[in-house]
Amino acid sequence: MRELTFLLSLPNLLSLSRIPLGAAFWLVLGPTARGSIWAFGVMGLAALTDVLDGYLARRQAQRAGGPTEPDGGVGAWLDPICDKLFVAAVLAAIIVRRHPVPQIIALILTRELVQLPLGIAYRFIPTLRTWLRYDFRASLLGKAATVAQFLAIAALILDHPATATLAVIAFALGIAALADYMRRAIRDRKSVV
């Protein structure tokens, strides 16, 4: 019951709202770049929920004098999973409606294809949690990768000539961010052991 209460906190509900926003993106994305304003509106709303959930979670933790949830917080692992699911829904809609070059999608999606299963495995396999101390909080590099990813997606929606370049940048920053997350997990493990 306590886990359900934490799951239904305002920051976590904001994270969870990105799942139906992914479905909404499917509804508003048209077959051409013309009229993409609604798709950008959904992406903007998803970005706003991402900023607000982190802000509200930090405020709750400050008021409580530390973490407000057990096990490092439901939001610590729920937020990045909801982010990945939203990005996957957006890219799936673009694939179905726009038929872009598959290599572009692969470059943009690489970080999610690697990080999502790692995050889920870490959460649900206790042995991994004893071996690593994975910090789900976004690093500066992770935030830069997310910005590059959304710029690449925006270029893809608009069928902009810079799409391939932005996809390569998103890929490079995404891989660098994953390497940084793993480095932190191993370093933090060593400091605990």
Side-chain angles (χ1 to χ4, degrees), residues 42 45 142:
V42 170
L45 189 55

Side-chain angles (χ1 to χ4, degrees), residues 108-137:
I108 295 171
L109 197 54
T110 297
R111 182 175 67 155
E112 275 59 39
L113 291 173
V114 176
Q115 191 175 20
L116 180 61
L118 288 176
I120 291 171
Y122 180 81
R123 177 67 185 154
F124 294 106
I125 301 174
T127 307
L128 280 178
R129 289 196 304 273
T130 60
W131 186 68
L132 295 172
R133 296 287 181 241
Y134 188 81
D135 183 356
F136 286 95
R137 292 173 297 171

Side-chain angles (χ1 to χ4, degrees), residues 56-140:
L56 292 172
R58 284 187 296 279
R59 281 199 57 186
Q60 283 180 355
Q62 286 172 346
R63 274 190 258 140
T68 57
E69 302 175 27
D71 299 329
V74 171
W77 60 265
L78 181 67
D79 179 60
I81 288 174
C82 291
D83 289 345
K84 305 310 178 226
L85 291 173
F86 177 76
V87 169
V90 165
L91 288 174
I94 291 170
I95 290 167
V96 169
R97 297 266 170 102
R98 301 282 181 84
H99 311 288
V101 177
Q103 293 86 339
I104 298 291
I105 297 296
L107 288 169
I108 295 171
L109 197 54
T110 297
R111 182 175 67 155
E112 275 59 39
L113 291 173
V114 176
Q115 191 175 20
L116 180 61
L118 288 176
I120 291 171
Y122 180 81
R123 177 67 185 154
F124 294 106
I125 301 174
T127 307
L128 280 178
R129 289 196 304 273
T130 60
W131 186 68
L132 295 172
R133 296 287 181 241
Y134 188 81
D135 183 356
F136 286 95
R137 292 173 297 171
S139 65
L140 187 57

